[in-house]
Amino acid sequence: MTARFSELVCEHASSSSRLDLVDRDHGDGDIQQRTIFPIVACDGNGMPLAADVMQRALRTPFQAGIAGVPDRVFHVGQPVAVGNHSAVRVCLGAPAIAGVGERTRAGQGFDAAFAPLAADVADLFAKWSYVASLPFQPG
């Protein structure tokens, strides 16, 4: 499960020009067992944005109707210092692991049991990419 989660986070972070995954080398065997991923959000010029602003925006429900952007709240880890910048952490938490386990015990195959978590990760990154495109002060 951690390898699949890691793959998804790396894939989504790499697909956005506004998100920079710290320690991005997914080929490294260690990253496949990680459950916490610090990510720096950047503006359109590549300047890092304040992680506390990103975290608050991800935890704020949006008004429905922004095409392709989930309006729901996402709980991400608290900002952490990364060099001269700050990063928001995406974490694989116990409730997500338990949810996959419960669906597997209920008879779903792993792919089907993991699908809701994969959808949550995709929604998180869709909202995050949108939020990073808004006018914020660099951090």
Side-chain angles (χ1 to χ4, degrees), residues 4-135:
R4 177 78 64 90
F5 179 78
S6 171
E7 181 180 345
L8 278 176
V9 170
C10 290
E11 178 182 302
H12 284 289
S14 297
S15 69
S16 174
S17 63
R18 296 187 182 268
L19 301 177
D20 186 20
L21 176 63
V22 177
D23 296 330
R24 71 176 68 225
D25 186 10
H26 192 265
D28 178 12
D30 181 51
I31 201 167
Q32 294 179 9
Q33 299 308 315
R34 278 203 197 152
T35 58
I36 301 172
F37 295 86
I39 299 174
V40 176
C42 299
D43 67 13
N45 297 317
M47 295 299 299
L49 299 170
D52 60 330
V53 173
M54 290 293 105
Q55 184 196 34
R56 278 194 305 275
L58 292 169
R59 294 179 74 156
T60 301
F62 280 180
Q63 198 172 28
I66 302 171
V69 179
D71 59 351
R72 61 184 262 218
V73 170
F74 289 95
H75 295 282
V76 291
Q78 291 184 344
V80 61
V82 178
N84 295 330
H85 312 299
S86 58
V88 173
R89 294 176 287 170
V90 175
C91 308
L92 175 61
I97 294 169
V100 173
E102 288 170 6
R103 289 185 291 277
T104 301
R105 277 192 301 282
Q108 292 184 2
F110 178 76
D111 288 341
F114 191 83
L117 177 55
D120 286 347
V121 170
D123 285 351
L124 165 64
F125 279 94
K127 184 174 182 179
W128 201 344
S129 292
Y130 174 77
V131 166
S133 74
L134 298 175

